[in-house]
């Protein structure tokens, strides 16, 4: 019996080996690229949201008699916030920052306008808050407005969620396509080897045993293509990020990425490949089992 199964493992899908390797290479390349894209975008979007949700912008308007906030008062305001331990940084927007933000060559065009003072504050964590009771005394009669960035990024969070969902759906469709092609190949191979399978069945092998062996044979045939496709996807993803200067925080950069980051990326990718192959193995075993049961006992 074992001798017959060994012959079966060596001959089954042997003619389709090159085709299976090429198919698994291209489809697994697309699948792994989508996984890396999702992994990159997930980390990038979460880091961006976490960073922006901790930033606060304060706009302080000059007094009626002032064109801009005096230097002494600017120093007092900065010292007030710098003494607080809840901030990661306190940054005063300079004239160059304002010119860049407003798109002006210089600020002379605003010489007749009272220019407010802008401060960017970043909390150590997103749950911190500011007490403005004492701050009102420092700025005296000047008006101010506080803008919490976490209240301004709700639409962007929704957009990020839609992009993540789109990447997942496209990756799922590619996986379904991959599985569909494998099922077609298995069905064609089973039909072509029906007589041999019938002999194996008569010699005592049940449908479950045959199904497991067929799934193992198929996984062996697509293994090299799967590994090659995964490495190819890493190379393509890295090239795309570099060429288009995409600000992802989790891409492979051989020159600047640390060993831990490389290990983390390949760990996630390996886990994804193993998980995908396990699903393919289980589904193909189920499909093959139903095919054999229907043919032999239907």
């Amino acid at each position: 019996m074992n001798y017959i199964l060994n012959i079966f493992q060596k001959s089954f899908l042997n003619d389709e080996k090159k085709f299976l390797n090429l198919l698994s290479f291209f489809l697994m390349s697309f699948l792994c690229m989508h996984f890396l894209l999702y992994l990159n975008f997930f980390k990038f979007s979460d880091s961006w949201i976490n960073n922006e949700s901790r930033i606060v912008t304060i706009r302080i308007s000059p007094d009626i008699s002032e064109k801009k906030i005096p230097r002494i008062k600017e120093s007092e305001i900065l010292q007030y916030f710098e003494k607080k331990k809840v901030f990661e940084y306190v940054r005063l927007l300079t004239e160059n920052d304002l010119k860049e933000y407003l798109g002006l060559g210089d600020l002379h065009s605003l010489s007749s306008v009272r220019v407010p003072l802008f401060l960017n504050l970043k909390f150590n964590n997103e749950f911190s808050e500011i007490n403005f009771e004492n701050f009102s005394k420092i700025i005296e009669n000047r008006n101010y407005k506080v803008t919490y960035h976490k209240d301004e990024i709700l639409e962007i969070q929704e957009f990020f969620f839609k992009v993540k969902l789109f990447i997942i759906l496209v990756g799922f469709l590619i996986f379904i396509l991959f599985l569909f092609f494998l099922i077609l190949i298995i069905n064609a191979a089973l039909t072509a080897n029906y007589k041999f399978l019938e002999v194996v069945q008569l010699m005592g092998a049940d449908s479950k045993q045959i199904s497991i062996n067929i799934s193992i044979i198929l996984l062996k045939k697509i293994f090299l293509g799967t590994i090659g496709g995964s490495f190819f996807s890493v190379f393509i993803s890295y090239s795309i990020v570099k060429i288009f200067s995409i600000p992802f925080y989790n891409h492979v950069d051989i020159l600047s990425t640390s060993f831990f980051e490389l290990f983390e990326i390949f760990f996630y990718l390996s886990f994804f490949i193993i998980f995908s192959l396990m699903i393919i193995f289980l589904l193909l075993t189920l499909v093959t089992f139903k095919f054999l049961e229907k043919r032999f006992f239907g």
Side-chain angles (χ1 to χ4, degrees), residues 193-203 210 292 296:
N193 293 272
Y194 175 71
K195 292 295 182 182
F196 184 78
L197 291 172
E198 192 175 21
V199 172
V200 175
Q201 187 90 352
L202 292 173
M203 292 184 66
I210 296 174
L292 295 174
F296 293 132

Side-chain angles (χ1 to χ4, degrees), residues 41-52 54 249:
F41 189 78
F42 180 85
K43 191 168 184 178
F44 162 75
S45 59
D46 279 9
S47 299
W48 187 89
I49 290 172
N50 177 264
N51 183 68
E52 285 296 316
R54 292 188 289 131
Y249 298 150

